[in-house]
Amino acid sequence: MSSPKTPKDVLELMDKEKVEVVDLRFMDFPGLWQHFSVPPREVDEDMFEGGLGFDGSSIRGWQAINESDMLVKPVPETAFIDPFFEAKTLVLICNICDPVTGEDYTRDPRNIARKAVNHLKASGIADIAYFGPEAEFFIFDDIRFDQNEHEGYYHIDSVEGRWNTGRVEDPNLGYKPRYKEGYFPVPPTDSLQDIRSEMMLTLEKIGIQVEAQHHEVATAGQAEIDMRFAPLVEMADNLLKYKYVIKNTARKHNKTVTFMPKPLFNDNGTGMHVHLSLWKDDQNLFAGDGYAGLSEMALYAIGGLLKHTPSLLAFTSPTTNSYKRLVPGFEAPVNLAYSSRNRSAAVRIPMYSPSVKAKRIEFRCPDPSCNPYLAFSAMLMAVIDGIQNKIHPGEPLDKDIYDLPPEELAKVPHTPGSLRESLNALDADHDYLLKGDVFTSDVIETWISYKMESEVEALDLRPHPWEFALYYDI
């Protein structure tokens, strides 16, 4: 089935597939997909232009109750048949508009991503920015958690979990991946091949090209499925489809998926390394004869990323849990440096292929808890700033970071240690995001206040279980 391009194509697809329900989806401010459904008779060509009204007052980070009316405008080329609903359902991703002015809503994350792409084109630097995220996740068998006035806990379980080698399972068959040794073992140690294959085939079925799927490093079902790169907005759309398919495929098998960056203590966390390249006139602008086959423009792009990483992380690593991943010792990219070899560097230059077309840079700090529209847009704005201001990243860090003497290691800057630090960095360094009206001051202020109040300060108020281990007997 070819992808629809116009409203007419969508209507023809609905007729051909005998669609019974149309599901309209959009992104809230922090980064969760939202939806509501309508019967097919409500969808005509005029609806794509005029939109459909809904109440936006309960959407996190959006309108106040006294100005709550909003419009969704479906995007034809995002259409796909939902692979999980019982009734034949067509899904359409939507842009959000103000019903009074008709203008795109400034806090709509997809609108911000579209503005970032337009800003790149208007700059004359490039025609297109390709993004390729490697989103990791955990597949668990059970998750329980609670926090109230007198208790707080979480309990994770997985038949793959190394901690279950001694559990009575009638029978316990062993073959549970060791901590930090879950990378690429064949079954029976890798018990989730069939589920990941179903996830991969379902993604392909709805039009998302997959390059590989495999078990990841951690025990207890850590996994990765890699999508083929795509332009910024399309890739952000694809990442939402990706998370939707993976979560619901796991649920079919009575399992649960999390994209939390660090659900397990003392094992590898979940990252989302993002590959990025700029193209113009079908030429890869990041390929050249410099370090690791990079162009001067690519080095300036790296310079922009490294300069703005502390503030970027407020969007690319936007949870308090993100900073439990960004610690030394778990292959985490905690060093604000670049390298073709060092995986603890924030920016790596992949050397898998000598092809000019494959030349790209890899920003390793992000994780899949992010809102992809905002994360990719912020990354692109940092890259543009680096190129326009010729911010050179200095010398690469190709030495083994763990063998560096303390005085040399002290000279290597590190990623922020907490979400609070990243939000403070964003407050101090966001002018590069405001260029081209891509991120507005209102968006920056709302993001900082929402994250501070709803997450940073909310966590600060609550006792932690480990505090009882440390302090109960003092």
Side-chain angles (χ1 to χ4, degrees):
M1 180 187 72
S2 59
S3 298
K5 304 295 183 186
T6 66
K8 184 179 179 182
D9 292 340
V10 173
L11 297 176
E12 290 175 355
L13 175 63
M14 289 169 57
D15 185 57
K16 177 183 175 183
E17 294 287 336
K18 296 181 171 55
V19 165
E20 300 171 276
V21 179
V22 177
D23 201 50
L24 303 172
R25 299 191 185 174
F26 56 93
M27 186 60 124
D28 74 2
F29 200 52
L32 281 179
W33 235 4
Q34 311 290 316
H35 79 132
F36 65 94
S37 300
V38 298
R41 68 171 178 272
E42 296 295 320
V43 180
D44 55 25
E45 290 193 50
D46 291 339
M47 195 263 273
F48 286 84
E49 181 63 31
L52 196 65
F54 75 104
D55 180 2
S57 64
S58 296
I59 304 302
R60 298 180 302 169
W62 275 16
Q63 298 280 49
I65 192 72
N66 62 323
E67 48 185 21
S68 59
D69 290 343
M70 306 293 290
L71 291 177
V72 291
K73 289 188 178 180
V75 180
E77 57 267 32
T78 66
F80 67 96
I81 300 297
D82 189 283
F84 301 105
F85 290 146
E86 184 175 339
K88 180 63 73 75
T89 301
L90 181 84
V91 176
L92 286 163
I93 298 176
C94 302
N95 295 322
I96 306 300
C97 300
D98 186 293
V100 178
T101 66
E103 295 178 353
D104 294 321
Y105 182 41
T106 56
R107 291 189 198 173
D108 173 17
R110 198 172 191 275
N111 176 35
I112 292 168
R114 290 156 60 216
K115 288 193 291 182
V117 171
N118 291 335
H119 178 63
L120 173 68
K121 294 175 181 176
S123 73
I125 292 171
D127 301 325
I128 191 166
Y130 283 116
F131 283 77
E134 300 175 357
E136 299 168 345
F137 53 95
F138 278 90
I139 305 172
F140 293 138
D141 290 296
D142 190 54
I143 175 68
R144 291 182 285 117
F145 53 89
D146 198 6
Q147 178 85 51
N148 53 49
E149 286 74 11
H150 71 101
E151 64 182 354
Y153 68 91
Y154 67 91
H155 180 83
I156 294 167
D157 211 358
S158 165
V159 71
E160 265 203 5
R162 188 66 179 176
W163 59 84
N164 280 326
T165 54
R167 183 172 68 173
V168 176
E169 294 181 350
D170 297 320
N172 188 322
L173 300 177
Y175 295 108
K176 302 179 191 300
R178 298 176 186 88
Y179 297 107
K180 296 189 180 186
E181 293 187 25
Y183 202 62
F184 282 19
V186 297
T189 303
D190 177 3
S191 67
L192 298 166
Q193 169 70 13
D194 288 340
I195 291 178
R196 291 197 312 272
S197 289
E198 184 177 337
M199 292 169 175
M200 176 179 73
L201 294 173
T202 305
L203 287 167
E204 290 268 343
K205 183 179 177 182
I206 66 169
I208 296 176
Q209 290 182 281
V210 174
E211 295 185 336
Q213 63 93 343
H214 57 83
H215 204 289
E216 257 298 340
V217 174
T219 189
Q222 192 181 35
E224 181 179 314
I225 300 176
D226 295 328
M227 295 177 283
R228 184 171 175 79
F229 64 88
L232 190 156
V233 178
E234 180 183 342
M235 179 49 77
D237 289 342
N238 286 349
L239 189 57
L240 300 185
K241 297 175 186 177
Y242 173 96
K243 295 176 81 168
Y244 178 74
V245 165
I246 285 168
K247 288 178 180 179
N248 282 283
T249 303
R251 187 179 178 89
K252 277 177 59 180
H253 293 271
N254 204 31
K255 295 183 183 291
T256 179
V257 158
T258 184
F259 288 90
M260 271 182 71
K262 191 77 168 186
L264 296 182
F265 168 64
N266 224 23
D267 206 343
N268 280 36
T270 286
M272 189 180 74
H273 308 151
V274 181
H275 298 253
L276 168 63
S277 61
L278 298 185
W279 289 64
K280 189 173 187 177
D281 298 329
D282 206 31
Q283 298 294 314
N284 185 353
L285 302 179
F286 280 5
D289 55 8
Y291 173 78
L294 293 177
S295 66
E296 187 176 52
M297 178 184 287
L299 288 172
Y300 291 149
I302 292 171
L305 284 172
L306 293 178
K307 176 184 176 180
H308 297 298
T309 291
S311 60
L312 271 179
L313 262 58
F315 290 111
T316 67
S317 307
T319 67
T320 58
N321 188 251
S322 299
Y323 299 85
K324 293 175 172 60
R325 166 187 169 249
L326 292 174
V327 295
F330 298 90
E331 300 182 27
V334 296
N335 300 293
L336 298 185
Y338 71 104
S339 175
S340 62
R341 299 188 184 96
N342 201 321
R343 289 177 180 266
S344 67
V347 178
R348 192 174 75 92
I349 298 88
M351 304 300 288
Y352 301 123
S353 170
S355 167
V356 168
K357 289 189 174 182
K359 188 56 60 180
R360 59 199 187 273
I361 60 178
E362 176 190 358
F363 190 42
R364 294 173 64 83
C365 296
D367 67 60
S369 69
C370 71
N371 182 326
Y373 298 112
L374 302 182
F376 296 163
S377 298
M379 284 178 58
L380 181 58
M381 296 302 286
V383 162
I384 292 171
D385 189 61
I387 294 168
Q388 289 180 330
N389 292 291
K390 299 184 177 180
I391 302 171
H392 198 280
E395 295 301 312
L397 180 66
D398 285 334
K399 299 177 183 177
D400 187 338
I401 193 74
Y402 302 112
D403 289 340
L404 286 180
E407 61 274 13
E408 196 169 341
L409 183 60
K411 296 177 183 176
V412 181
H414 295 131
T415 52
S418 68
L419 180 57
R420 183 189 296 276
E421 287 183 35
S422 292
L423 292 170
N424 287 337
L426 177 62
D427 189 37
D429 174 33
H430 61 257
D431 285 350
Y432 69 101
L433 297 170
L434 302 178
K435 292 177 181 176
D437 199 37
V438 174
F439 287 79
T440 62
S441 295
D442 171 69
V443 164
I444 301 292
E445 291 165 8
T446 303
W447 184 262
I448 292 172
S449 63
Y450 178 88
K451 285 285 175 178
M452 279 290 192
E453 294 170 14
S454 301
E455 299 177 31
V456 174
E457 294 169 1
L459 191 69
D460 287 347
L461 287 171
R462 288 161 170 80
H464 189 285
W466 190 241
E467 290 179 309
F468 286 84
L470 291 172
Y471 308 129
Y472 186 78
D473 60 350
I474 59 175

